[in-house]
Amino acid sequence: MQRLAKKWRRAGEDIGLVPTMGYLHEGHLSLARAARKRVGKRGRVVVSIYVNPTQFAPTEDFSKYPRDLKRDLKLLRECGVDVVFTPKDAEMYPDRSAVPTGFSTYVIEENLSQRMEGASRPAHFRGVTTVVAKLFNIVRPDVAVFGQKDFQQAAIIQRMVRDLDFPVRIIVAPTVREADGLAMSSRNKYLEDDLRRQATVLRRAIDMARAAVKKSRKISAAELKANVEKIIESVPDARLDYVEFFDPETLVPVTEVSGGVQMALAVFVGKTRLIDNERL
Ligand code: AMP
């Protein structure tokens, strides 16, 4: 991949990268199209598919995470992607657990990654920033596209790029949703019929907050949080992990919510943990 990227760069072809964990849906494909738009017909679009073990806690769904490479390759071929990069664990993390000879260097963002996903999943963002830094060094992209669906992740990657001078432009593309408002996610596969219906509660919580802000212009975050909790609790198999209202640039929580404030929430529906967010 590095050799290929070097060749492309020498030929003056721009490279766009879309990092994914596979089991692709329309959200991923919209990122690949955004990458194509940025690099043009003569540019190169690389989609990486790698279920990154270092961003999963031992208790999480790493081994169960849905995988279907054959289907993914078909979708990406139809989408006009040039290369699908599918590294193996042994290549990405040589001898990960071997001391002292194994993999031992990580990239850690220390500020934006403290709250929300970072609080609920302690080693998660360390794994994300490390693997994305590696992918940037392997693919050497001019642009890389991430989804707004993972708002905090996109903010952390932008910070990492700025702080560590990665020569790449980050594009954040809008969240693609199912017809009933559920944000597309590979993990939606875990939701059987009834749970799938219950999963629309995230969207309903966001809509409630939007309506409340539209109506009162300014409303206390504590009151909105209580209302979100009520909505989530009214759904039998849903359990709120967190809901936050914060400044979209700094991710610092606000006490008064008004237009332009970002809302993010994580909800367990059955055993499946779903996240969503939106600018109010
Ligand atoms: P994942 O495969 O879940 O790691 O996601 C790979 C990339 O796709 C990340 O940048 C995600 O934010 C993005 N993504 C995931 N779901 C969506 C969606 N519904 N709409 C837009 N982008 C998404």
Side-chain angles (χ1 to χ4, degrees):
M1 186 68 245
Q2 272 177 330
R3 225 165 17 233
L4 192 54
K6 193 169 171 187
K7 194 176 101 186
W8 288 341
R9 294 185 77 85
R10 274 226 199 89
E13 296 163 356
D14 278 351
I15 304 174
L17 170 66
V18 179
T20 81
M21 299 203 298
Y23 209 74
L24 304 178
H25 50 66
E26 190 51 39
H28 297 114
L29 300 181
S30 75
L31 305 190
R33 286 186 209 107
R36 170 61 67 198
K37 205 165 163 190
R38 292 305 284 234
V39 300
K41 265 209 311 262
R42 293 195 54 257
R44 302 290 187 164
V45 174
V46 178
V47 171
S48 62
I49 296 180
Y50 181 57
V51 185
N52 172 37
T54 63
Q55 70 190 67
F56 289 79
T59 51
E60 292 177 349
D61 58 346
F62 173 69
S63 57
K64 278 195 337 199
Y65 195 84
R67 293 161 168 92
D68 189 345
L69 185 59
K70 208 171 149 198
R71 179 173 158 277
D72 288 350
L73 293 177
K74 182 167 180 283
L75 289 171
L76 293 174
R77 193 171 286 124
E78 288 163 3
C79 204
V81 163
D82 293 287
V83 164
V84 184
F85 178 57
T86 62
K88 302 223 171 1
D89 286 343
E91 298 170 299
M92 290 298 267
Y93 299 106
D95 284 330
R96 181 151 72 99
S97 45
V99 179
T101 53
F103 183 95
S104 60
T105 308
Y106 291 86
V107 177
I108 301 173
E109 193 288 324
E110 297 192 325
N111 178 353
L112 305 176
S113 51
Q114 298 298 312
R115 300 175 65 86
M116 300 190 279
E117 289 305 288
S120 292
R121 309 180 64 189
H124 174 66
F125 285 125
R126 176 182 92 142
V128 170
T129 41
T130 299
V131 82
V132 171
K134 286 170 65 66
L135 290 169
F136 285 174
N137 285 333
I138 296 166
V139 181
R140 303 276 307 277
D142 298 282
V143 299
V145 189
F146 293 84
Q148 154 128 41
K149 159 82 186 342
D150 298 273
F151 186 87
Q152 189 179 13
Q153 168 175 283
I156 290 168
I157 304 280
Q158 281 171 309
R159 178 64 60 88
M160 175 185 84
V161 161
R162 187 198 76 181
D163 287 352
L164 300 184
D165 311 289
F166 281 96
V168 58
R169 178 183 291 277
I170 303 299
I171 296 165
V172 182
T175 303
V176 178
R177 298 176 180 280
E178 302 286 356
D180 64 5
L182 177 67
M184 288 191 183
S185 162
S186 308
R187 288 191 170 96
N188 293 351
K189 173 183 161 60
Y190 299 143
L191 303 167
E192 316 251 301
D193 289 357
D194 183 40
L195 292 177
R196 171 63 187 79
R197 272 191 294 277
Q198 295 187 43
T200 55
V201 70
L202 285 88
R203 180 70 243 181
R204 278 187 280 127
I206 293 174
D207 287 341
M208 178 280 293
R210 285 184 80 98
V213 167
K214 202 167 174 192
K215 185 158 162 247
S216 352
R217 302 269 163 215
K218 214 168 200 191
I219 176 166
S220 96
E223 188 183 335
L224 265 185
K225 279 185 185 184
N227 291 340
V228 167
E229 243 167 75
K230 254 187 242 156
I231 291 180
I232 306 291
E233 274 171 21
S234 73
V235 171
D237 297 302
R239 180 166 62 80
L240 183 65
D241 182 3
Y242 67 76
V243 55
E244 292 275 8
F245 297 91
F246 55 91
D247 179 296
E249 299 297 325
T250 62
L251 309 196
V252 173
V254 297
T255 49
E256 295 286 333
V257 181
S258 53
V261 165
Q262 196 79 21
M263 166 180 184
L265 75 170
V267 175
F268 283 96
V269 177
K271 288 188 178 122
T272 304
R273 189 171 175 283
L274 302 174
I275 59 171
D276 203 346
N277 73 89
E278 202 158 83
R279 186 80 48 99
L280 298 178

PDB file of all heavy atoms in Angstrom, residues 162-175:
ATOM      1  N   ARG A 162      -4.096  18.284  13.564  1.00  0.00           N
ATOM      2  CA  ARG A 162      -3.549  19.611  13.832  1.00  0.00           C
ATOM      3  C   ARG A 162      -2.341  19.519  14.759  1.00  0.00           C
ATOM      4  O   ARG A 162      -1.287  20.076  14.485  1.00  0.00           O
ATOM      5  CB  ARG A 162      -4.639  20.486  14.482  1.00  0.00           C
ATOM      6  CG  ARG A 162      -4.232  21.927  14.647  1.00  0.00           C
ATOM      7  CD  ARG A 162      -5.115  22.641  15.645  1.00  0.00           C
ATOM      8  NE  ARG A 162      -4.771  22.281  17.024  1.00  0.00           N
ATOM      9  CZ  ARG A 162      -5.400  22.756  18.092  1.00  0.00           C
ATOM     10  NH1 ARG A 162      -6.436  23.559  17.951  1.00  0.00           N
ATOM     11  NH2 ARG A 162      -5.007  22.406  19.302  1.00  0.00           N
ATOM     12  N   ASP A 163      -2.483  18.761  15.839  1.00  0.00           N
ATOM     13  CA  ASP A 163      -1.423  18.705  16.848  1.00  0.00           C
ATOM     14  C   ASP A 163      -0.159  18.021  16.326  1.00  0.00           C
ATOM     15  O   ASP A 163       0.957  18.400  16.682  1.00  0.00           O
ATOM     16  CB  ASP A 163      -1.909  17.949  18.096  1.00  0.00           C
ATOM     17  CG  ASP A 163      -2.907  18.760  18.921  1.00  0.00           C
ATOM     18  OD1 ASP A 163      -3.101  19.955  18.606  1.00  0.00           O
ATOM     19  OD2 ASP A 163      -3.497  18.187  19.860  1.00  0.00           O
ATOM     20  N   LEU A 164      -0.315  16.993  15.505  1.00  0.00           N
ATOM     21  CA  LEU A 164       0.849  16.211  15.061  1.00  0.00           C
ATOM     22  C   LEU A 164       1.240  16.504  13.608  1.00  0.00           C
ATOM     23  O   LEU A 164       2.054  15.790  13.030  1.00  0.00           O
ATOM     24  CB  LEU A 164       0.588  14.711  15.256  1.00  0.00           C
ATOM     25  CG  LEU A 164       0.318  14.268  16.709  1.00  0.00           C
ATOM     26  CD1 LEU A 164       0.174  12.757  16.783  1.00  0.00           C
ATOM     27  CD2 LEU A 164       1.436  14.732  17.638  1.00  0.00           C
ATOM     28  N   ASP A 165       0.620  17.540  13.016  1.00  0.00           N
ATOM     29  CA  ASP A 165       1.015  18.002  11.664  1.00  0.00           C
ATOM     30  C   ASP A 165       0.887  16.934  10.585  1.00  0.00           C
ATOM     31  O   ASP A 165       1.738  16.847   9.688  1.00  0.00           O
ATOM     32  CB  ASP A 165       2.453  18.549  11.679  1.00  0.00           C
ATOM     33  CG  ASP A 165       2.676  19.523  12.813  1.00  0.00           C
ATOM     34  OD1 ASP A 165       2.135  20.635  12.737  1.00  0.00           O
ATOM     35  OD2 ASP A 165       3.364  19.151  13.791  1.00  0.00           O
ATOM     36  N   PHE A 166      -0.144  16.125  10.652  1.00  0.00           N
ATOM     37  CA  PHE A 166      -0.381  15.195   9.537  1.00  0.00           C
ATOM     38  C   PHE A 166      -0.790  16.007   8.308  1.00  0.00           C
ATOM     39  O   PHE A 166      -1.684  16.841   8.403  1.00  0.00           O
ATOM     40  CB  PHE A 166      -1.495  14.203   9.890  1.00  0.00           C
ATOM     41  CG  PHE A 166      -1.046  13.081  10.764  1.00  0.00           C
ATOM     42  CD1 PHE A 166      -1.213  13.137  12.139  1.00  0.00           C
ATOM     43  CD2 PHE A 166      -0.451  11.952  10.211  1.00  0.00           C
ATOM     44  CE1 PHE A 166      -0.797  12.095  12.954  1.00  0.00           C
ATOM     45  CE2 PHE A 166      -0.033  10.902  11.018  1.00  0.00           C
ATOM     46  CZ  PHE A 166      -0.208  10.970  12.389  1.00  0.00           C
ATOM     47  N   PRO A 167      -0.133  15.796   7.158  1.00  0.00           N
ATOM     48  CA  PRO A 167      -0.446  16.604   5.978  1.00  0.00           C
ATOM     49  C   PRO A 167      -1.682  16.077   5.263  1.00  0.00           C
ATOM     50  O   PRO A 167      -1.622  15.618   4.118  1.00  0.00           O
ATOM     51  CB  PRO A 167       0.815  16.464   5.109  1.00  0.00           C
ATOM     52  CG  PRO A 167       1.358  15.112   5.470  1.00  0.00           C
ATOM     53  CD  PRO A 167       0.949  14.840   6.900  1.00  0.00           C
ATOM     54  N   VAL A 168      -2.825  16.132   5.925  1.00  0.00           N
ATOM     55  CA  VAL A 168      -4.058  15.588   5.363  1.00  0.00           C
ATOM     56  C   VAL A 168      -5.211  16.521   5.713  1.00  0.00           C
ATOM     57  O   VAL A 168      -5.219  17.126   6.795  1.00  0.00           O
ATOM     58  CB  VAL A 168      -4.314  14.150   5.898  1.00  0.00           C
ATOM     59  CG1 VAL A 168      -4.392  14.121   7.409  1.00  0.00           C
ATOM     60  CG2 VAL A 168      -5.581  13.547   5.300  1.00  0.00           C
ATOM     61  N   ARG A 169      -6.149  16.665   4.776  1.00  0.00           N
ATOM     62  CA  ARG A 169      -7.343  17.476   5.055  1.00  0.00           C
ATOM     63  C   ARG A 169      -8.460  16.546   5.492  1.00  0.00           C
ATOM     64  O   ARG A 169      -8.741  15.551   4.814  1.00  0.00           O
ATOM     65  CB  ARG A 169      -7.757  18.261   3.811  1.00  0.00           C
ATOM     66  CG  ARG A 169      -9.016  19.088   4.030  1.00  0.00           C
ATOM     67  CD  ARG A 169      -9.427  19.791   2.746  1.00  0.00           C
ATOM     68  NE  ARG A 169      -8.473  20.835   2.388  1.00  0.00           N
ATOM     69  CZ  ARG A 169      -8.488  22.075   2.903  1.00  0.00           C
ATOM     70  NH1 ARG A 169      -9.412  22.402   3.783  1.00  0.00           N
ATOM     71  NH2 ARG A 169      -7.593  22.961   2.551  1.00  0.00           N
ATOM     72  N   ILE A 170      -9.088  16.862   6.613  1.00  0.00           N
ATOM     73  CA  ILE A 170     -10.166  16.014   7.129  1.00  0.00           C
ATOM     74  C   ILE A 170     -11.515  16.576   6.692  1.00  0.00           C
ATOM     75  O   ILE A 170     -11.784  17.766   6.844  1.00  0.00           O
ATOM     76  CB  ILE A 170     -10.130  15.944   8.681  1.00  0.00           C
ATOM     77  CG1 ILE A 170      -8.778  15.424   9.159  1.00  0.00           C
ATOM     78  CG2 ILE A 170     -11.272  15.079   9.211  1.00  0.00           C
ATOM     79  CD1 ILE A 170      -8.431  14.027   8.685  1.00  0.00           C
ATOM     80  N   ILE A 171     -12.344  15.703   6.137  1.00  0.00           N
ATOM     81  CA  ILE A 171     -13.703  16.081   5.755  1.00  0.00           C
ATOM     82  C   ILE A 171     -14.670  15.291   6.623  1.00  0.00           C
ATOM     83  O   ILE A 171     -14.483  14.089   6.820  1.00  0.00           O
ATOM     84  CB  ILE A 171     -13.956  15.760   4.268  1.00  0.00           C
ATOM     85  CG1 ILE A 171     -13.035  16.610   3.406  1.00  0.00           C
ATOM     86  CG2 ILE A 171     -15.413  15.988   3.894  1.00  0.00           C
ATOM     87  CD1 ILE A 171     -12.957  16.136   2.003  1.00  0.00           C
ATOM     88  N   VAL A 172     -15.665  15.990   7.150  1.00  0.00           N
ATOM     89  CA  VAL A 172     -16.685  15.306   7.958  1.00  0.00           C
ATOM     90  C   VAL A 172     -17.995  15.335   7.178  1.00  0.00           C
ATOM     91  O   VAL A 172     -18.496  16.398   6.829  1.00  0.00           O
ATOM     92  CB  VAL A 172     -16.849  15.973   9.339  1.00  0.00           C
ATOM     93  CG1 VAL A 172     -17.874  15.209  10.170  1.00  0.00           C
ATOM     94  CG2 VAL A 172     -15.510  16.021  10.063  1.00  0.00           C
ATOM     95  N   ALA A 173     -18.522  14.140   6.875  1.00  0.00           N
ATOM     96  CA  ALA A 173     -19.714  14.025   6.023  1.00  0.00           C
ATOM     97  C   ALA A 173     -20.942  13.703   6.881  1.00  0.00           C
ATOM     98  O   ALA A 173     -20.839  13.038   7.910  1.00  0.00           O
ATOM     99  CB  ALA A 173     -19.491  12.938   4.979  1.00  0.00           C
ATOM    100  N   PRO A 174     -22.126  14.199   6.426  1.00  0.00           N
ATOM    101  CA  PRO A 174     -23.342  14.062   7.232  1.00  0.00           C
ATOM    102  C   PRO A 174     -23.761  12.622   7.514  1.00  0.00           C
ATOM    103  O   PRO A 174     -23.417  11.700   6.764  1.00  0.00           O
ATOM    104  CB  PRO A 174     -24.421  14.766   6.397  1.00  0.00           C
ATOM    105  CG  PRO A 174     -23.803  15.152   5.117  1.00  0.00           C
ATOM    106  CD  PRO A 174     -22.345  14.926   5.176  1.00  0.00           C
ATOM    107  N   THR A 175     -24.520  12.447   8.578  1.00  0.00           N
ATOM    108  CA  THR A 175     -25.024  11.131   8.977  1.00  0.00           C
ATOM    109  C   THR A 175     -26.120  10.664   8.023  1.00  0.00           C
ATOM    110  O   THR A 175     -27.066  11.401   7.753  1.00  0.00           O
ATOM    111  CB  THR A 175     -25.597  11.206  10.413  1.00  0.00           C
ATOM    112  OG1 THR A 175     -24.570  11.676  11.278  1.00  0.00           O
ATOM    113  CG2 THR A 175     -26.101   9.846  10.878  1.00  0.00           C
TER     114      THR A 175
END
